Amino acid sequence: MTLSFADDDGTAIDLHLIDSADLDDWRGSRPDAEVRWLEAQGFRAGIGQALLVPGPDGAPALAVAGRGSAAQRARVRFPLAAAAQNLPAGTYRIAGGLPEDTAEAETLGWLLSNYRFDRYRGDDRAARALIAPRGIDVARVEAMAAAEALTRDLINTPASDMGPDALEAAAFALAERHGADFQSIVGDDLLTQNFPMIHAVGRAAAVPPRLIDMRWGGSGPRLTLVGKGVCFDTGGLNLKPGGSMGLMKKDMGGAANVLGLAQMIMALKLPVQLRVLIPAVENAVSGNAFRPQDILTSRKGLTVEINNTDAEGRLVLADALALADEESPDLIVSMATLTGAARVAVGPDLAPFYTDHDSDAAALATAAAGVADPVWRMPFHAPYEAMIEPGIADLDNAPSGGFAGSITAALFLRRFVEASPRYMHFDIYGWQPVAAPGRPKGGAGQGIRALLAALPGLLPAA
Ligand code: BES
Ligand code: ZN
Ligand code: ZN
């Protein structure tokens, strides 16, 4: 599996991209034999419809791929990936028809159409290789593809091979590749170093809980990413029903996404001081598991009544956010597969995010459009603060009633960020439930390309 652009070795096939509205005009400019061939094949330039066209000797002379209509394209995130996956293996060069303003997002989609999760069964499919069209930022598109692949691989790897220890190893490997500083606080050291909620959530698992802490970059504005690394979420003693537990290897999707973003930032050498914090735990069931109605004292000192041990993500994130906030970086971003409510609200495609700053929300939304990474703003609705206050402790981790579940979870997290000027939180799904062009069923990156593209506007000038 290669997710890079191809070198031009002279064998590439010219690929003509055709909007269905332009098909007649295009035919008018082509030789009769070609037009008859396309006609015989039923080529209507529908989205993803792709064909090789033979020359007089029978060898492919060119390829054509439909782009459909604007309305059809609006329904597909990566239209060019739809074409790529319908072409035979080979190397292609786009000979026309790709709009400049979508060229980076679309060629990213092409690269991603070659993604396979091959860890357990190999990949015998030959790639559809693409020569980078002129005008795109090749390094940036390749970095985005590599980050998406990393995120998908991490999420797709089951908990048997992606426990807290393996997630730490993956983060360490990334840190080593880019010369980042790396530290991890493991097991009972979480207690001595005052991360009681990370410890409480993770202590029942066979693999001890930990807090991963990575730093990179010597100068520039300070950005801290915090990712939920629940390597498997059984729900704890308030055990999830089987149907809900089935996908919970993906509950480290926030961690997988922040590692993907960190990889892009480091590969592209953005001028920032980056810190990545990942509480990596397994929410398991055992005699020493934390219980419903336990009251935990967090790192920050706020007490939390546990009303459901399945609302564990906000607990581990709270201690990591408190640590992040202690040095008041310019921006803290948390990413987490935090609530089922977010999935109900916006489904698997949109990355719901929270910020108190309209300008940041606008910057993110604008950036998102250019990188095929749709986001949707949700409100930190202060009147719901009362819902997370149980009376017996400072905070309730699982308000009864379940109203506005994603919002109350976000409000819970915001309580742990006080000193930092900017806080943005993503409540993502991290999973593609049905295959789409460039997006196989399985782990999925969400929001990180939008963040990468928006970062210059989200951070103060260096
Ligand atoms: N990891 C889940 C949230 C989740 C479930 C994300 C399904 C995506 C798909 C989280 O730890 C959880 O179980 N949250 C509970 C919270 C509730 C008990 C307050 C939820 O959302 O049901
Ligand atoms: Zn849970
Ligand atoms: Zn969870």
Side-chain angles (χ1 to χ4, degrees), residues 228 230 233-236 240 248 251 283 308-313 337-338:
K228 174 176 173 181
V230 175
D233 184 7
T234 66
K240 282 184 186 295
M248 284 298 124
D251 214 18
N283 188 18
N308 194 325
T309 62
D310 197 9
E312 83 297 338
T337 51
L338 200 60

Side-chain angles (χ1 to χ4, degrees), residues 78 103-113 141 144-145 371 449:
F78 294 123
E104 289 193 357
E106 295 226 38
T107 53
L108 170 67
W110 179 300
L111 296 184
L112 290 175
S113 73
V141 176
M144 291 193 285
V371 289
R449 288 193 298 278

Side-chain angles (χ1 to χ4, degrees), residues 151-344:
T151 300
R152 290 179 184 178
D153 281 348
L154 291 172
I155 296 174
N156 286 334
T157 305
S160 47
D161 286 319
M162 192 48 67
D165 49 352
L167 183 55
E168 177 185 331
F172 181 68
L174 179 64
E176 285 238 288
R177 274 204 302 284
H178 295 280
D181 292 332
F182 187 92
Q183 202 200 309
S184 172
I185 304 168
V186 184
D188 288 344
D189 286 351
L190 290 166
L191 292 178
T192 49
Q193 297 193 43
N194 194 24
F195 298 96
M197 298 209 294
I198 299 174
H199 186 271
V201 171
R203 72 188 178 209
V207 179
R210 62 207 66 207
L211 177 62
I212 296 161
D213 186 351
M214 187 196 318
R215 286 180 191 271
W216 176 89
S219 62
R222 288 176 307 158
L223 167 66
T224 299
L225 308 176
V226 182
K228 174 176 173 181
V230 175
C231 295
F232 196 80
D233 184 7
T234 66
L237 294 177
N238 288 13
L239 194 69
K240 282 184 186 295
S244 312
M245 203 189 297
L247 263 183
M248 284 298 124
K249 71 172 181 182
K250 78 171 175 75
D251 214 18
M252 32 60 73
N257 269 280
V258 300
L259 289 173
L261 178 53
Q263 177 173 287
M264 289 190 280
I265 288 171
M266 296 189 293
L268 298 171
K269 300 195 163 52
L270 297 199
V272 300
Q273 299 183 67
L274 174 68
R275 186 180 196 188
V276 180
L277 293 171
I278 295 173
V281 304
E282 197 181 321
N283 188 18
V285 171
S286 184
N288 64 345
F290 75 127
R291 294 156 288 246
Q293 292 188 309
D294 282 357
I295 294 180
L296 306 179
T297 302
S298 65
R299 176 179 185 83
K300 195 177 170 61
L302 294 170
T303 55
V304 181
E305 184 184 19
I306 305 306
N307 276 303
N308 194 325
T309 62
D310 197 9
E312 83 297 338
R314 66 198 75 186
L315 304 174
V316 298
L317 288 170
D319 277 355
L321 284 168
L323 175 68
D325 196 47
E326 283 161 23
E327 57 180 21
S328 54
D330 297 297
L331 172 64
I332 297 178
V333 179
S334 56
M335 306 192 88
T337 51
L338 200 60
T339 70
R343 167 193 73 148
V344 173

